[in-house]
Amino acid sequence: MKKINVQMVDLMSQYNKIKTRVDKSIISTIESGKFINGPIVSEFSGNLKEFLNVKHVIPCANGTDALQISFMALGIKPGDEIICPSWTYIATAEAASILGIKTVFCDVDLDTFNITANHIEPLINSRTKAIVPVHLYGQSCDMKEIILLAKKYNLKIIEDNAQAIGCTYSFANGEKKMTGTMGDIGTTSFYPSKNLGCYGDGGALFTNDDKLAEKIKMIVNHGEKIKYHHEIIGCNSRLDSIQAEILNIKLEYLNEYNFNRNKMADIYNQSFKDINGIQTPVVIENSKHVFHQYTIKIDQNIRDNFKNYLTENGIPNMIYYPIPIHRQKPYSNGQILKNTDLLSKSVISLPIHTEIENSNQDYIIEKTQNFFK
Ligand SMILES: *Cc1c(COP(=O)(O)O)cnc(C)c1O
């Protein structure tokens, strides 16, 4: 088999399927002159609200802002502590640090890559104000236990749902909720490569709490309810109308996109199940998975060889994440997180797409199988 063109994230094939509608909507937004907070921004928020079955969706400029605004809205102050994973994108911790909030890093489960109540509980003290579960790679944390823990210690929950939009979690009584709608606030990012991505930056906050929603709406807009009447300190964090147009179209396809990601993941799982050296993703019983990333674990002694081999064969691949947050310069203090440290040496993510026919998945699978022969 000769080398072929494979992408890590194939936004072009996806765009080509919706090009006519997207192009038309962008032009009509420009012609309307309503670049910021146009009617499309509230139309999109309304549609996303319905999709998520949540009371309030407040759009903002990006997923990092959404986290920062959550901490502000919940009144978490300098010196307070939040508990979050180190095994996540830097934004989760950075948004707290910029406010002077102390980030207490929690280790993750080796199989699901997510924090669990068992890992969180020993870290709780009198300064702890909130837990920030991240639904990493597209799978929900085990929220039932985390919610119980938050109730027990009177803590807030902010779900970082940047990687799992469209994922559902089932409670023991059969009730199903979407990730991002189970805590006090949920946040997401519409960065282009996310499962629901725009063509620039974008983000949103979700909540079922009317009072919090009102406060969030003020914070994203300089702390004002009435123009030029600033009641609290806020920031400037808005979603552009053009991005809202694109998101409103792509939201219609989100379930299909996530379905296709699952199809690709199933094919990978089937093809790798007899390879001893590969551990395919583990999905907990209560959660669906939307495969923002398809991440496998392999022996830490061969991971980097495998990575080089893939790259040499023209197969894009990524390590999410090569350096966990507790080992990044601004945070490093010698803390050891056993599972997190091991994961940084043993994970590797393979390409996963919403347009399977252009994925060249057979090629990726054949090359991978050959490596482990
Ligand atoms: C992408 C991402 C963010 C940040 O989103 P931006 O829109 O890039 O600011 C936050 N948390 C996680 C887990 C992410 O993957």
Side-chain angles (χ1 to χ4, degrees):
M1 213 186 258
K2 67 171 176 38
K3 276 195 192 178
I4 41 178
N5 184 23
V6 193
Q7 253 120 53
M8 192 70 191
V9 182
D10 184 12
L11 292 173
M12 202 40 77
S13 315
Q14 196 189 60
Y15 167 60
N16 284 333
K17 286 198 177 162
I18 51 174
K19 183 175 168 18
T20 317
R21 283 180 73 192
V22 167
D23 292 1
K24 208 173 131 215
S25 71
I26 291 176
I27 290 167
S28 77
T29 303
I30 297 171
E31 285 173 349
S32 79
K34 295 185 173 120
F35 299 108
I36 305 255
N37 269 339
I40 187 65
V41 176
S42 38
E43 187 182 326
F44 165 64
S45 306
N47 288 336
L48 186 57
K49 211 162 73 177
E50 244 171 71
F51 178 89
L52 294 169
N53 192 22
V54 69
K55 241 171 136 184
H56 303 276
V57 167
I58 302 110
C60 68
N62 57 67
T64 310
D65 272 11
L67 286 157
Q68 184 184 326
I69 293 159
S70 305
F71 298 129
M72 291 167 79
L74 290 168
I76 303 177
K77 294 191 173 56
D80 289 345
E81 296 185 4
I82 58 134
I83 297 171
C84 69
S86 165
W87 192 239
T88 173
Y89 184 52
I90 185 78
T92 314
E94 197 181 28
S97 302
I98 203 160
L99 296 171
I101 298 164
K102 185 173 177 217
T103 50
V104 175
F105 295 113
C106 181
D107 211 355
V108 291
D109 179 79
L110 266 181
D111 287 331
T112 64
F113 311 110
N114 281 330
I115 60 172
T116 70
N118 286 341
H119 289 102
I120 299 165
E121 190 162 15
L123 304 173
I124 297 173
N125 66 47
S126 59
R127 290 179 300 279
T128 311
K129 291 292 180 311
I131 304 167
V132 187
V134 179
H135 306 304
L136 203 73
Y137 305 149
Q139 171 173 209
S140 180
C141 294
D142 200 349
M143 288 305 291
K144 174 175 67 67
E145 302 294 332
I146 294 176
I147 290 168
L148 281 175
L149 198 64
K151 284 211 176 104
K152 181 171 164 192
Y153 293 97
N154 194 24
L155 304 175
K156 302 291 182 193
I157 297 176
I158 299 161
E159 296 174 75
D160 182 343
N161 197 35
Q163 300 192 3
I165 197 157
C167 180
T168 50
Y169 178 85
S170 312
F171 289 86
N173 63 1
E175 189 189 8
K176 284 184 174 37
K177 284 196 178 168
M178 298 208 104
T179 50
T181 70
M182 294 177 274
D184 296 276
I185 301 178
T187 65
T188 203
S189 162
F190 302 125
Y191 185 78
S193 63
K194 303 282 155 111
N195 287 34
L196 179 61
C198 55
Y199 295 161
D201 273 311
L205 299 96
F206 323 131
T207 185
N208 285 306
D209 183 316
D210 297 341
K211 280 220 176 79
L212 266 179
E214 197 175 320
K215 197 159 172 205
I216 293 166
K217 280 181 200 159
M218 287 169 72
I219 294 172
V220 298
N221 192 22
H222 300 291
E224 70 178 31
K225 246 187 274 181
I226 303 163
K227 206 159 177 59
Y228 303 127
H229 291 66
H230 308 281
E231 292 178 39
I232 53 174
I233 293 295
C235 56
N236 166 18
S237 194
R238 300 181 285 231
L239 181 68
D240 293 349
S241 305
I242 287 179
Q243 302 306 342
E245 288 279 6
I246 293 155
L247 290 166
N248 203 37
I249 294 167
K250 285 179 72 172
L251 179 58
E252 286 178 32
Y253 297 89
L254 181 56
N255 281 336
E256 183 188 317
Y257 291 158
N258 286 343
F259 179 81
N260 287 346
R261 287 172 180 276
N262 267 278
K263 248 179 157 164
M264 245 184 111
D266 284 346
I267 296 169
Y268 277 138
N269 287 344
Q270 278 305 312
S271 316
F272 299 155
K273 73 175 193 304
D274 297 327
I275 301 178
N276 274 332
I278 297 182
Q279 190 193 313
T280 55
V282 174
V283 186
I284 58 168
E285 207 186 308
N286 294 6
S287 179
K288 299 270 182 205
H289 203 313
V290 293
F291 288 101
H292 174 59
Q293 297 299 344
Y294 182 84
T295 303
I296 55 176
K297 286 195 298 184
I298 53 185
D299 189 296
Q300 54 177 307
N301 296 314
I302 58 166
R303 199 269 312 265
D304 290 346
N305 289 345
F306 178 55
K307 178 172 174 48
N308 292 337
Y309 166 88
L310 288 176
T311 307
E312 276 160 21
N313 281 284
I315 299 170
N317 57 83
M318 289 294 268
I319 311 292
Y320 300 108
Y321 297 89
I323 308 171
I325 303 178
H326 72 287
R327 295 194 178 279
Q328 298 282 355
K329 230 179 181 178
Y331 293 97
S332 63
N333 60 3
Q335 187 184 5
I336 293 167
L337 293 170
K338 216 172 92 243
N339 293 350
T340 300
D341 289 330
L342 177 59
L343 287 175
S344 67
K345 298 185 193 99
S346 42
V347 297
I348 186 162
S349 301
L350 298 178
I352 188 132
H353 295 170
T354 60
E355 319 303 316
I356 307 175
E357 63 275 24
N358 295 323
S359 70
N360 291 314
Q361 192 179 13
D362 293 347
Y363 174 79
I364 302 169
I365 288 169
E366 190 189 316
K367 288 290 173 193
T368 301
Q369 286 167 335
N370 287 345
F371 180 87
F372 286 95
K373 253 181 198 152

